[in-house]
Amino acid sequence: DVQLVQSEAEVKKPGESLRISCQASGYTFNRYWIAWVRQMPGKGLEWMGIIYPDDSDTRYNPAFQGQVTISVDESLSTTYLHWSNLRVSDTAFYYCTRGHDADYWGQGTLVTVSS
Amino acid sequence: QTVVTQEPSLTVSPGGTVTLTCSSSTGPVTSDDFPNWYQQKPGQAPRALIYSTSTRHSWTPARFSGSLLGGRAALTLSGVQPEDEAAYYCLLHLGDTQLVFGGGTKLTVL
């Protein structure tokens, strides 16, 4: 069975850095793009960007370009979402999902940024 | 930035039929935009329902159907069940870096 398992919830302070993860199993990891989606509290879904594990080709929604970094470790079948300077406004659920069609989803990681 | 618009909320009676729509600020939605539909219940991750306009995933009940309707993508629920109460989101592929979700429709079954 295809599974995307995300890392646990995080509580951070403004200005700190953070990396959350998404580990895939049940399919050939390097043949499917992995995307990240943000959902702020009580709001809708926002597509952030996508990476192709085979060659690390990465595309970003312009709204998120420069704000986050998406990376991959093919040996661990794991994709990462990284912030170098968190803001209170980064507080949200973050989901990883498979492919441009987003057929399978991780369970979500809640990131809370508060002073 | 392209804006994708959905009805903010709809109400349907159990057993009834309801159509949710998804429109783009750039013009008519076509099959080249590969419309996708997702269901999200409170406290849960989204679940994919429909891809490429009208193709159901293997787990999607037959009462969910996708189509194009008057320049919009549409999701029709026939024979609505109480468990269909949820938020529904469309996703349009408008380019390599332009995959855009609609704002979502909160469907109430009453």
Side-chain angles (χ1 to χ4, degrees):
Chain A
D1 288 4
V2 174
Q3 280 197 302
L4 299 176
V5 178
Q6 297 185 228
S7 48
E8 296 297 312
E10 300 272 2
V11 180
K12 306 292 279 187
K13 294 188 184 322
E16 292 185 332
S17 64
L18 173 66
R19 188 180 76 170
I20 63 174
S21 65
C22 168
Q23 184 171 39
S25 62
Y27 71 96
T28 304
F29 177 67
N30 64 356
R31 297 217 183 138
Y32 289 82
W33 296 74
I34 293 285
W36 286 92
V37 175
R38 182 175 79 174
Q39 188 168 37
M40 299 176 77
K43 301 297 185 184
L45 305 174
E46 299 173 274
W47 191 88
M48 300 175 71
I50 197 166
I51 189 165
Y52 191 58
D54 192 54
D55 60 5
S56 296
D57 184 6
T58 309
R59 318 285 172 86
Y60 292 94
N61 177 338
F64 291 93
Q65 180 90 46
Q67 309 305 308
V68 295
T69 301
I70 297 171
S71 63
V72 64
D73 186 332
E74 199 178 341
S75 68
L76 297 177
S77 298
T78 298
T79 310
Y80 302 97
L81 184 62
H82 176 256
W83 294 262
S84 58
N85 182 12
L86 283 162
R87 306 173 186 178
V88 172
S89 58
D90 292 318
T91 295
F93 269 98
Y94 293 88
Y95 296 98
C96 61
T97 179
R98 191 181 78 161
H100 290 80
D101 285 334
D103 54 1
Y104 290 91
W105 291 67
Q107 82 276 22
T109 296
L110 176 61
V111 173
T112 304
V113 185
S114 173
S115 54
Chain B
Q1 174 78 333
T2 303
V3 176
V4 177
T5 301
Q6 300 180 240
E7 297 86 359
S9 63
L10 291 170
T11 300
V12 61
S13 300
T17 297
V18 64
T19 297
L20 291 63
T21 69
C22 173
S23 62
S24 170
S25 62
T26 60
V29 175
T30 72
S31 57
D32 290 340
D33 300 322
F34 300 98
N36 284 248
W37 290 93
Y38 305 88
Q39 178 192 66
Q40 187 181 32
K41 296 182 178 180
Q44 296 183 16
R47 181 176 75 132
L49 293 174
I50 300 284
Y51 63 99
S52 295
T53 305
S54 59
T55 306
R56 292 185 202 91
H57 289 280
S58 59
W59 53 80
T60 303
R63 64 181 181 274
F64 293 88
S65 61
S67 64
L68 294 175
L69 209 60
R72 301 180 179 196
L75 176 70
T76 299
L77 287 70
S78 306
V80 171
Q81 304 294 309
E83 61 264 29
D84 297 333
E85 184 162 293
Y88 292 84
Y89 295 92
C90 64
L91 174 66
L92 300 182
H93 298 202
L94 303 173
D96 271 350
T97 58
Q98 273 260 76
L99 277 76
V100 185
F101 284 101
T105 296
K106 180 173 166 42
L107 182 67
T108 301
V109 181
L110 201 56

